[in-house]
């Protein structure tokens, strides 16, 4: 089966709901820590690819080395400015759409609080992402300021050319990303919520399988055994 943004979003939402319902604020803190871990691990993989290619660990490279592509067209973003810092507005988001559809937005919005800043931190701790608003918290768009990325003049054309040359070589499908998320969540919950982690995980797995089938859950569990620090 093909995994999509919705599967990734749903898995996070089911885990967040199960953790918060079972453990309240402790569950919320555990999910926050798991989200930070997941984001930083993804960012580090991006940095490893940039270093492999001799690219600097700056914000332009961060934007170039993203690991996923929105092949469904679920996300709609546009630039607000290209200089002195590239700034974007995302008015439609596949993750928010999935969470709203499944009734998980209130729990899953934790993801938006932590994932993007930790992706950037994992890529290069010196970089800074400005987050001026997010859809899941009630803003009319996700407003991101990519400090240090200046795409004025010829820079935008050069960026587009390099992105086209890369193709899909640095991207991973959503089974990979969903499995990585599952691994980060389960590892962190077992450490942070030892008294109830097993029941939280079982509840989230049951909810995910109830929505997408046992085969989908098994695919995620099998793929979660790989080394997510490797490129």
């Amino acid at each position: 089966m093909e995994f999509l943004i919705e599967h990734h979003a749903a898995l996070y939402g089911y885990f967040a709901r199960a953790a918060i319902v079972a453990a309240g604020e402790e569950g919320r803190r555990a999910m926050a820590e798991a989200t930070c871990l997941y984001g930083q691990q993804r960012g580090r993989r991006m940095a490893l690819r940039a270093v492999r290619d001799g690219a600097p660990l700056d914000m332009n490279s961060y934007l170039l080395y993203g690991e996923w592509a929105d092949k469904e067209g679920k996300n709609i973003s546009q630039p607000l400015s290209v200089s002195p810092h590239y700034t974007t507005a995302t008015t439609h988001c596949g993750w928010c759409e999935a969470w709203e559809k499944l009734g998980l937005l209130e729990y899953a919005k934790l993801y938006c609080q932590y994932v993007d800043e930790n992706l950037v931190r994992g890529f290069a701790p010196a970089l800074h992402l400005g987050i001026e608003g997010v859809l899941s918290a009630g803003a009319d768009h996700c407003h991101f300021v990519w400090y240090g990325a200046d795409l004025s003049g010829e820079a935008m054309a050069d960026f587009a050319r390099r992105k086209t040359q890369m193709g899909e070589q640095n991207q991973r499908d959503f089974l990979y990303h969903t499995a990585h998320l599952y691994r980060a969540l389960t590892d962190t919950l077992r450490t942070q919520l030892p008294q109830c982690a097993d029941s939280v995980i079982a509840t989230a797995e049951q909810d995910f399988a109830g929505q997408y089938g046992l085969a989908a859950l098994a695919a995620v569990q099998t793929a979660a055994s790989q080394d997510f620090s490797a490129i």
Side-chain angles (χ1 to χ4, degrees), residues 95-110:
W95 279 264
C96 284
E97 180 182 299
W99 294 330
E100 289 176 338
K101 169 187 170 182
L102 298 169
L104 297 169
L105 182 61
E106 183 57 32
Y107 303 98
K109 63 184 181 182
L110 264 172

Side-chain angles (χ1 to χ4, degrees), residues 18 31 33 37-38 54-55 73 90 95-96 126 163 169 180 192 207 228:
M31 286 298 299
E33 183 163 332
L37 173 67
Y38 170 75
T90 300
W95 279 264
C96 284
K163 193 71 171 174
Q169 65 177 322
H180 179 202
Q192 298 299 314
D207 290 340
F228 292 104

Side-chain angles (χ1 to χ4, degrees), residues 111-181:
Y111 186 80
C112 306
Q113 280 183 253
Y114 297 101
V115 73
D116 290 294
E117 65 177 303
N118 281 282
L119 277 161
V120 172
R121 185 173 297 133
F123 185 79
L127 297 181
H128 175 55
L129 169 64
I131 302 176
E132 307 295 333
V134 291
L135 285 162
S136 60
D140 61 5
H141 64 274
C142 293
H143 187 129
F144 288 171
V145 183
W146 307 92
Y147 287 106
D150 186 335
L151 297 180
S152 58
E154 295 298 317
M156 180 64 83
D158 181 62
F159 180 92
R161 177 186 58 78
R162 292 172 66 192
K163 193 71 171 174
T164 299
Q165 287 177 341
M166 285 181 176
E168 298 182 2
Q169 65 177 322
N170 297 316
Q171 295 172 7
R172 297 296 177 265
D173 63 26
F174 274 99
L175 172 57
Y176 176 93
H177 287 302
T178 306
H180 179 202
L181 181 62

Side-chain angles (χ1 to χ4, degrees), residues 4-212:
L4 306 171
I5 287 173
E6 181 177 321
H7 297 89
H8 186 268
L11 186 86
Y12 186 89
Y14 289 135
F15 267 88
R17 183 172 68 184
I20 293 168
V21 168
E25 285 304 310
E26 286 188 24
R28 193 179 299 275
R29 284 192 293 271
M31 286 298 299
E33 183 163 332
T35 310
C36 293
L37 173 67
Y38 170 75
Q40 289 177 27
Q41 289 176 337
R42 270 180 57 186
R44 281 194 287 272
R45 285 197 304 265
M46 293 163 61
L48 287 174
R49 295 188 185 99
V51 170
R52 174 199 65 195
D53 296 344
L57 295 183
D58 59 17
M59 192 63 88
N60 280 27
S61 292
Y62 174 83
L63 294 169
L64 278 171
Y65 280 86
E67 284 194 320
W68 62 272
D70 179 17
K71 297 181 179 180
E72 304 170 84
K74 292 286 187 181
N75 292 7
I76 300 176
S77 295
Q78 61 184 13
L80 296 177
S81 66
V82 296
S83 180
H85 307 290
Y86 185 55
T87 304
T88 57
T90 300
T91 55
H92 293 80
C93 168
W95 279 264
C96 284
E97 180 182 299
W99 294 330
E100 289 176 338
K101 169 187 170 182
L102 298 169
L104 297 169
L105 182 61
E106 183 57 32
Y107 303 98
K109 63 184 181 182
L110 264 172
Y111 186 80
C112 306
Q113 280 183 253
Y114 297 101
V115 73
D116 290 294
E117 65 177 303
N118 281 282
L119 277 161
V120 172
R121 185 173 297 133
F123 185 79
L127 297 181
H128 175 55
L129 169 64
I131 302 176
E132 307 295 333
V134 291
L135 285 162
S136 60
D140 61 5
H141 64 274
C142 293
H143 187 129
F144 288 171
V145 183
W146 307 92
Y147 287 106
D150 186 335
L151 297 180
S152 58
E154 295 298 317
M156 180 64 83
D158 181 62
F159 180 92
R161 177 186 58 78
R162 292 172 66 192
K163 193 71 171 174
T164 299
Q165 287 177 341
M166 285 181 176
E168 298 182 2
Q169 65 177 322
N170 297 316
Q171 295 172 7
R172 297 296 177 265
D173 63 26
F174 274 99
L175 172 57
Y176 176 93
H177 287 302
T178 306
H180 179 202
L181 181 62
Y182 175 89
R183 175 72 170 276
L185 292 171
T186 53
D187 284 355
T188 304
L189 291 175
R190 288 190 173 109
T191 300
Q192 298 299 314
L193 299 176
Q195 302 302 319
C196 63
D198 287 345
S199 64
V200 167
I201 293 167
T203 297
E205 289 175 339
Q206 182 178 21
D207 290 340
F208 185 83
Q211 183 69 28
Y212 302 107

